[in-house]
Amino acid sequence: TPVNYWMAGHVDHGKEELNFSKWSEYSVKKKDHKLEETMEMVRDKHMPLDSYTWTHSEAKLTDEQIEALITWTKQVRDSYN
């Protein structure tokens, strides 16, 4: 059970940082900033978290997946400008 609380804490913290359920409520400026942060975290391999991929190895991103996410993020950001 302690692991469940630990994981729930990670999820709650993540939702405080970026919550796609509330995406439509974000301003364009906030959306752009969150996309920029997401791109940086993925590019620098800070996401997904090591603590998550230890138990979910299938969540590790390949270089191709990272590039696809970066490309997608850039395209979405460009659509806001």
Side-chain angles (χ1 to χ4, degrees), residues 45-61:
K45 298 186 179 183
H46 295 294
M47 291 300 288
L49 296 173
D50 288 338
S51 57
Y52 185 79
T53 58
W54 290 334
T55 56
H56 298 90
S57 60
E58 71 281 359
K60 290 182 182 179
L61 300 174

Side-chain angles (χ1 to χ4, degrees), residues 13-71:
H13 177 72
K15 285 182 178 179
E16 289 172 12
E17 293 296 321
L18 176 63
N19 188 340
F20 284 110
S21 296
K22 295 184 177 184
W23 187 256
S24 64
E25 299 171 20
Y26 292 176
S27 68
V28 170
K29 184 176 179 178
K30 185 173 183 175
K31 287 177 183 179
D32 184 64
H33 179 68
K34 292 298 179 182
L35 289 167
E36 179 182 25
E37 287 180 329
T38 299
M39 183 173 58
E40 290 172 0
M41 296 290 287
V42 170
R43 182 193 62 225
D44 297 342
K45 298 186 179 183
H46 295 294
M47 291 300 288
L49 296 173
D50 288 338
S51 57
Y52 185 79
T53 58
W54 290 334
T55 56
H56 298 90
S57 60
E58 71 281 359
K60 290 182 182 179
L61 300 174
T62 65
D63 289 341
E64 292 80 19
Q65 290 170 320
I66 290 170
E67 284 305 314
L69 281 167
I70 290 170
T71 299

